[in-house]
Amino acid sequence: MNDAGILFVLSAPSGTGKTTIVKKVMDGMINLSFSISHTTRSPRAGEQNGVDYHFVSVSEFMEMRRKNLFLEWAEVHGNFYGTSRPAILSRLECGKDIILDIDVQGAALIAADDSVPSVSVFLAPPSLSELERRLCQRATDSNEIIELRLKNAVKEMAAMEHYEYLVVNDEIEDAVTTLQAVIIAERSRGHRLSSGEPVKLRVEK
Ligand code: ADP
Ligand code: 5GP
């Protein structure tokens, strides 16, 4: 048995429903935390600094990069995004499981990093037309940004074959249950209870 927490890496084209699904998965599980990324993107309406993202300037981001403070980082849809190395490693060392919501470039970097074991999950939309509908219905991005995100979605979908698990977000509740099942299965593989706690078997005399 390994005492370290499990790092779950979740990727999906923008608009698939990652944020929606991750919130519901976290509500239904204990001992699972979400990694708050740093980004140079501007906050959307309703997004809070330190809750949804750490919103930083390009120069702050570059300074963190220079100090090697990112476990991974990438430029996505014209903005920089990165995962804090100290925040992740300290939580994993304490046995905490973490979900990272990162793009396919960042996921490939983590998959190639043997010093940080991880489990990769790709969340796919049921179709590109449904993805476009979700991006438009969310109404947080301009038409130009939606176009860019849809163009990138085609490239991102091509990366799905490199992920260990595939979850299709058609019906929300089905996707939530499937992702929770993946998390529970990986905990069992690591000899943990479905709650994430280590199994302590009582030896009867
Ligand atoms: P992401 O974080 O992947 O960019 P969001 O979670 O913001 O995506 O979801 C994009 C939009 O799609 C939101 O308006 C959300 O309510 C909606 N949505 C998410 N999952 C589903 C689903 N299974 N069916 C229909 N709409 C969905
Ligand atoms: P959004 O701007 O819609 O919140 O996110 C855009 C994309 O950036 C999504 O694919 C999301 O998964 C990705 N992303 C968010 N945080 C990170 C991160 O820390 N690293 C990387 N590589 N991608 C991230």
Side-chain angles (χ1 to χ4, degrees):
M1 161 184 159
N2 182 355
D3 284 339
I6 306 170
L7 184 62
F8 293 96
V9 175
L10 181 71
S11 301
S14 178
T16 300
K18 260 185 319 245
T19 312
T20 310
I21 300 294
V22 165
K23 278 195 178 126
K24 285 179 175 282
V25 163
M26 308 256 317
D27 284 348
M29 298 191 92
I30 58 168
N31 291 320
L32 184 65
S33 62
F34 180 69
S35 160
I36 303 169
S37 295
H38 287 72
T39 183
T40 59
R41 152 165 98 58
S42 308
R44 296 185 182 124
E47 282 185 333
Q48 285 175 270
N49 190 26
V51 176
D52 301 283
Y53 280 105
H54 299 291
F55 294 99
V56 293
S57 65
V58 173
S59 58
E60 284 170 318
F61 193 95
M62 292 307 165
E63 183 62 7
M64 287 187 71
R65 255 182 67 183
R66 198 185 58 75
K67 291 182 174 159
N68 200 23
L69 288 176
F70 290 126
L71 188 59
E72 64 73 38
W73 68 271
E75 185 175 352
V76 192
H77 315 311
N79 296 299
F80 292 110
Y81 295 82
T83 304
S84 160
R85 182 192 303 278
I88 297 297
L89 297 187
S90 60
R91 276 191 273 166
L92 288 177
E93 274 166 24
C94 294
K96 306 267 181 242
D97 296 342
I98 308 174
I99 295 197
L100 293 187
D101 160 356
I102 63 175
D103 90 308
V104 296
Q105 305 169 78
L109 289 172
I110 291 194
D113 185 344
D114 290 336
S115 67
V116 189
S118 59
V119 176
S120 60
V121 183
F122 194 90
L123 185 71
S127 65
L128 280 177
S129 54
E130 172 61 11
L131 182 66
E132 182 171 8
R133 195 196 65 75
R134 288 182 193 171
L135 279 169
C136 294
Q137 165 223 283
R138 185 169 71 183
T140 51
D141 301 303
S142 65
N143 287 344
E144 200 186 0
I145 289 181
I146 289 178
E147 281 289 303
L148 176 64
R149 287 177 180 238
L150 280 172
K151 215 171 106 203
N152 289 344
V154 177
K155 286 187 230 153
E156 289 162 347
M157 298 281 278
M160 97 170 66
E161 62 178 296
H162 302 298
Y163 286 69
E164 291 158 276
Y165 292 95
L166 172 65
V167 177
V168 177
N169 181 20
D170 192 350
E171 293 297 328
I172 295 184
E173 292 313 323
D174 287 351
V176 170
T177 306
T178 309
L179 186 52
Q180 286 177 336
V182 166
I183 293 167
I184 292 170
E186 289 294 329
R187 284 177 170 176
S188 298
R189 198 214 284 262
H191 293 197
R192 286 164 182 251
L193 299 173
S194 57
S195 61
E197 283 141 347
V199 177
K200 290 195 186 88
L201 286 181
R202 283 189 300 272
V203 181
E204 309 292 346
K205 288 197 180 157

